[in-house]
Amino acid sequence: MALSFCGNDKGINAYSVEEGVLNNGCFVDALNLVPHVFLLFITFPILFIGWGSQSSKVQIHHNTWLHFPGHNLRWILTFSLLFVHICEFAEGIMMMDTDHLHLYMPAFMGFVAATTSVVYYHNIETSNFPKLLLVLFIYWVLAFITKSIKLWKYAEYNVGPQHLRFCITALLVILYGLLMAVEVNVIRVRKYVFFANPQKVKPPEDLQDLGVRFLQPFVNLLSKATYWWMNPLIIGAHKRPIELKKIGKLPIAMRALTNYLRLKDAYEDQRDPDLSPSIWRSMYRAFGRPILLSSFFRCLADVLGFAGPLCISGIVKYLKETYFGVHFMSSTKLLQNTSVLAVLLFLALILQRTFLQTSYYVTIETGINLRGALLAMIYNKILRLSTSNMSMGEMTLGQINNLVAIETNQLMWFLFLCPNLWAMPVQIVMGVILLYCLLGWSAVVGASVIVLLAPIQYLIATKLADTQKSTLEHSTERLKRTTEILKGIKLLKLYAWENIFCDSVEDTRGKELTSLKTFALYTSMSIFMNAAIPIAAVLVTFVMHHFLNETGPSPSEAFAALALFHILVTPLFLLSTVVRFAVKALVSVQKLGEFLQSDEIGDDSWRNGDMSVSLEGGKKHLGAVSLNDNTSVNRTTAHLITFSTFSVCVGQLTMIVGQVGCGKSSLLLAMLGEMQTIEGRVCWSKSDPSSVPYILIKNRNFVAYAAQKSWLLNATVEDNITFGSPFNKQRYKAVIDACSLQPDIDLLPFGDQTEIGERGINLSGGQRQRICVARALYQNTNIVFLDDPFSALDIHLSDHLMQEGILKFLQDDKRTVVLVTHKLQYLIHADWIIAMKDGSVLREGTLKDIQTHDVELYDHWKTLMNRQDQELEKVEEEEEEDDDNMSTTSNRRSKIPWKMCWRYLSSGGYLMVFLMVSSNLLKHSVIVAIDYWLALWTSSKTNQSNDSYYLPVFIILCAAGIFLCLFTSLSVEFLGLSAATNLHHNLLNKIIHAPIRFFDITPLGQILNRFSADTNIIDQHIPPTLESLTRSTLLCLSAIGVISSITPAFLVALVPLAVAFYFIQKYFRVASKDLQDLDDSTQLPLLCHFSETAEGLTTIRAFRHEARFRQRMLELTDTNNTAYLFLSAANRWLEVRTDYLGAVIVLTVAGASIWSLRYGLPCCGLVGLGLTYALTVTNYLNWVVRNLADLEVQMSAVKKVNSFLSTECENYEGSMDTSQVPENWPQDGEIKIQDLCVRYDPMLKPVLKHVNAYIKPGQKVGICGRTGSGKSSLSLAFFNMVDIFEGKIVIDGIDICKLPLHTLRSRLSIILQDPVLFSGSIRFNLDPEKTCTDDRLWEALEIAQLKNMVKALPGGLDAVVTEGGENFSVGQRQLFCLARAFVRKSSILIMDEATASIDMATENILQKVVMTAFADRTVVTIAHRVHTILTADLVIVMKRGNILEYDKPETLLEQEDGMFASFVKADM
């Protein structure tokens, strides 16, 4: 039939206007076309000209995104308009035979015009040209008038709300009216027309800043909903990695400072003297609104979620009937058309997903804002914490780090999950009601299965949390032991104890694995419940339905119910997680509250003064301090420190001396206001102190303060010294020379631009201390406080620092210096001395005063001075810690690391892999079979007898499905467990048996990372990711398989969908990995900054640098938040796209089903099955991508561990068999060194070159030489620890290179320079092999002069030794090492600089013991202090790997120009 606008029905003249123009319905419809045509005519040229002329538009920065008033409302109204036009079009098409163009053509044109209007508006808005909006205003007015005429005519002819077209027209009138109002409002505000002076508008501050790249708040509504603005970033990531520069800064409203002020105001508004402020209330006041908004979106999404099952039910129900009514159709008729339902289902899905993602985004943004605010709040509190709080242990560094790293994140996560708290009950109640409407009471019974099993799920969740705790305890213990082993690896290898200690780690690992097994069991139970409950619910429902109703359900009911059960399961499982997080959040808030209420530093008047320092006549004030009868309390030991009145004079050097623990440092802290003052006061004088009375100033000048415990920033050496002051090259050079730092700086890889690791890890103690002193010298302050700056320095460096730094550099500047020291030889330089004892001042005055008034004290000092002068240089060793550079060197744009995945799976064992794969495939086949059987059963709706055939099979299939769910979840978890077990075991064995060179070149931090972070990922993160990935992938594949088999036409649409999906996941994975890395790498500096600040509080406050540090913290927080926000926006980007793809799949499936039904292909039940499966695909598509991205990140842990598994082990075998070595070898202790050449690595130069020596049994031999002469290398060669590539060492007739390593090393003894003790008991430290009797151990302790001390300890031999032996002094530790060597009863003892780090008294004991207890043994001593080997039988002097002098010490001393003689002279 030919088309015509008004139709060509027989006998009717559609074009007659006899009863008046407006009474012809067709003419009224034609009138409605006019506004649309008008708009298209005018806007198209403008758009094309605009696009043509705006080729430069690409370069326009986003400050042009200036929204006109009513921007969001306009977008929402336009979308609603589009939807109504679709309805109008559908109604017109269905109305009657399609030759009546006027029924749907205006609707189609309206749709095109509405789309054009929003494109046009967007372009005008971006180019900020409001005059052109007039076109839209005219269009809305015309459209409103024409639609109103149509409505008025309908009313005249009694067409009312019972007719669909009346409702649609009424809606259109309202929408056009509102859009007209929006347009009027723009004119009113911007005054771009009808007003003399239009309003000039500046873009918001954020948009003028080119650094702001996070555009979510500024883009239009469509881009907001689909994250379109992220496209360039995500697609660009494929070409080059995303860097911090690329993600720019945060908008002002999201910065930590803005949010901190919001939270702080809310917190301080409720300051009630009786009650402490509530953090919950403050959080609600500051961030409540976005959370409510997000909850609203969430509820909308949940309600829309139920459209899916209902539309499926409708489509399956109405598949058989096609209905064509008369001229006007009723409103319900439209909803009975399957095509309309399919489109509605599609739109509902799109909307539901958009709302859901918006809800997620809003909560995440709010959570991040809250975290930033909390971090700033905690940081400000740390800066005001009282020192006593920190030292007392009321507030440990660990607690502060936990607050920062854990508690703030718990609260952030709680906010993320917050909307679920009220959205879930709504979802559950609605779901149950809908089920009841569909299937009656049987559905309620099925739903009650889900509800009743929810508490079990909660129970499992709490058990999981407990197990995680115990796992954490065991893994902390394992790490502690591993760290100890790695720190003492040299000793363990020398004593051949590696296997004993390896076993102790394996023991702890065993306990950890037991915990992990429980963890795996509970996890698999949780996964099993998740998968099995829907099956159980469906089973119960349909069996009940069969018994109650005598028949099976119809296909439409069955599949709607199935979809509803899938919807219901999610909230019930999330509920347990949400409840758990809510509980954690309550605990976190309590901890935060306690922290924010803790003591702050005393607000003395001079502390609070404004920070300006006035300068008179361009001269610096020379500060001075006086204390008036000041009593301070140090809460650590709760003892009082009383200082009588004394003053520190301007420009003088005041020294404070006294024994350890007499309150010297406390005196400095009291002057800095860090102690709690009980009475008295500290005055900082402004003028010359001789003028009385003092003028008190409100501010004290900044004090340059070097604390006793050196404190460095995680920054370059230069930044540590300048510490925020402007850089002055000349001054900087002078300070470096004064502290003799130049030689050390030359050794660093990048000079003074080298980054110092956290807590100054890659520097020795002395270097760190000198940098701290250099910082104090460099600052341009009048007063310098130095707290024991010489403690870690040797004698030469101390002298240089005293002469050049303090006497020359500071005194030349006429600065007031207060120096706390133990080096009494410097007292002669002091202008004023304060001697302290037991917390009070014992004496003060000049050295002369003390010499005349307190002879006894002076004499005591004199003897001490002489002893101190005898020390000789300690050579500092540096340990370098590199960053973990492994990850950065690996190829970035890597594909999914399939090789590593296989490596991981094969570590779990082939049987487990086979079980996992086969059980997964079986499970998914059975689940498909259940649904397929249900489709057949419901489609065959015949008599009762039929049910008795279908029902038993259905029950059997469900039971099998439930069993397989359990089996698969267990198989994945236990595969993961066995892989983790094997990987850790191999890693530990490889590393412990690696040659010592491996530990020299591999940073300790890197090895520890393999055992901590990477092992943790392999243990706990990979198995659930793997499980989730296999499950979601198989679900998607089985769904696509089922759909394709039911409606083969779907396969045509599948190709473009698959291509789209491939590109989405490809781009997302790369971008996600980059953003994840950025998030991780920006988090570490933030946490470091917090712990650094807490450690260096006194220094920061003394320098008055709080503001600078606070600023740095805000910057670091913002950087981390930016990365995190981008990461979550990228996740939303992915989810919106996969969700829309899913919606398209549903639409194509529905379309294909309706189309194929015309040709009578599938039965109704199968269509229902296809649609239900299509709905699940939407849920699982994004999980496939997310899990792939996660797995890719997690597999890098396997890669790193794997890289260590290729390490070469030492050759433990040797060419001789253990049985060939005599039991008591070496009996005599005779050593022949023949032509020995040694190197550390085949690639390196030899360190010993052709060394020959002969040591008789029982001889005492001393080896000396400068640093690097090869002394220590020789000692290592005895133990075959280095590569002996020429020559040999023969001990008692056996070449040591032929011996098995364990035999050789277990028969010799060594005492190392650094005393190493392990945590455990004293007995374990002396004899880990448990081979000696107690008497033997006591004898050894007696020889080492430790017997009485050990007896006094609780437990005697079983007394506790803490980590590293920290509960003993260095001297005592060295003596324990001596006892350990004695216990071994070996006839050869090697002492490697064993006296370098101990005091005189301990050294004397050591020497005595060696002479008596080891009288009959061969002792080789490598000496630093030459006087220790003057009594030896033979002295060997080495230089650059060769023997220079070799004779008795007396003979060598006679050669006056010899090297040995010069050493002895220097040491006297």
Side-chain angles (χ1 to χ4, degrees), residues 793-957:
L793 307 185
D794 61 47
I795 199 93
H796 300 314
L797 290 171
S798 304
D799 278 349
H800 184 88
L801 178 60
M802 185 72 206
Q803 293 299 336
E804 297 298 316
I806 296 170
L807 296 178
K808 199 162 151 202
F809 189 85
L810 291 177
Q811 297 275 291
D812 284 358
D813 266 5
K814 292 278 186 293
R815 284 154 86 178
T816 307
V817 183
V818 180
L819 172 72
V820 171
T821 183
H822 287 262
K823 305 258 180 192
L824 302 176
Q825 65 266 44
Y826 298 145
L827 285 177
I828 44 175
H829 304 300
D831 299 319
W832 194 256
I833 297 170
I834 297 171
M836 296 190 65
K837 189 172 185 183
D838 302 338
S840 54
V841 176
L842 177 70
R843 277 260 174 269
E844 58 169 322
T846 60
L847 191 59
K848 274 223 165 64
D849 296 347
I850 293 174
Q851 193 174 350
T852 46
H853 293 111
D854 197 335
V855 186
E856 195 182 334
L857 182 65
Y858 184 73
D859 287 347
H860 176 60
W861 282 357
K862 200 128 185 74
T863 52
L864 285 174
M865 282 186 212
N866 293 342
R867 185 175 316 161
Q868 281 179 349
D869 283 339
Q870 289 168 2
E871 293 178 14
L872 190 73
E873 177 174 3
K874 297 192 289 187
V875 173
E876 298 166 353
E877 291 201 3
E878 296 175 22
E879 47 165 319
E880 286 270 345
E881 277 237 10
D882 291 349
D883 263 355
D884 194 345
N885 275 335
M886 288 246 347
S887 49
T888 46
T889 50
S890 61
N891 178 14
R892 267 200 78 264
R893 304 280 139 221
S894 52
K895 302 276 178 289
I896 300 175
W898 295 120
K899 201 167 147 201
M900 279 306 128
C901 291
W902 175 242
R903 175 76 219 220
Y904 172 78
L905 291 172
S906 56
S907 304
Y910 296 114
L911 174 69
M912 291 301 288
V913 176
F914 170 73
L915 279 178
M916 182 195 97
V917 174
S918 54
S919 63
N920 260 307
L921 292 173
L922 250 177
K923 175 182 103 171
H924 285 281
S925 316
V926 170
I927 289 177
V928 170
I930 294 173
D931 294 340
Y932 184 71
W933 195 255
L934 186 63
L936 292 179
W937 178 15
T938 51
S939 303
S940 70
K941 273 195 298 186
T942 47
N943 55 11
Q944 178 80 33
S945 61
N946 218 344
D947 276 1
S948 59
Y949 159 62
Y950 283 110
L951 192 64
V953 178
F954 184 66
I955 294 174
I956 290 167
L957 281 173

Side-chain angles (χ1 to χ4, degrees), residues 69-70 73-74 77 137 140-141 174-188:
L73 181 62
R74 179 193 301 263
L77 290 173
F137 177 60
W140 301 131
V141 174
I174 295 168
L175 287 171
Y176 284 133
L178 288 170
L179 281 160
M180 199 163 68
V182 169
E183 217 59 80
V184 171
N185 186 42
V186 177
I187 296 175
R188 184 185 66 79

Side-chain angles (χ1 to χ4, degrees), residues 62-122:
H62 49 247
N63 60 9
T64 49
W65 282 334
L66 230 192
H67 295 335
F68 294 139
H71 168 90
N72 286 349
L73 181 62
R74 179 193 301 263
W75 278 86
I76 292 169
L77 290 173
T78 311
F79 281 134
S80 315
L81 189 63
L82 290 171
F83 177 68
V84 178
H85 277 313
I86 292 174
C87 294
E88 190 184 11
F89 182 72
E91 190 258 3
I93 288 237
M94 287 167 53
M95 255 326 295
M96 53 187 308
D97 296 339
T98 41
D99 59 343
H100 281 254
L101 274 177
H102 74 97
L103 291 179
Y104 54 87
M105 188 159 168
F108 176 71
M109 291 303 283
F111 184 84
V112 175
T115 314
T116 311
S117 79
V118 76
V119 172
Y120 179 70
Y121 166 74
H122 174 67

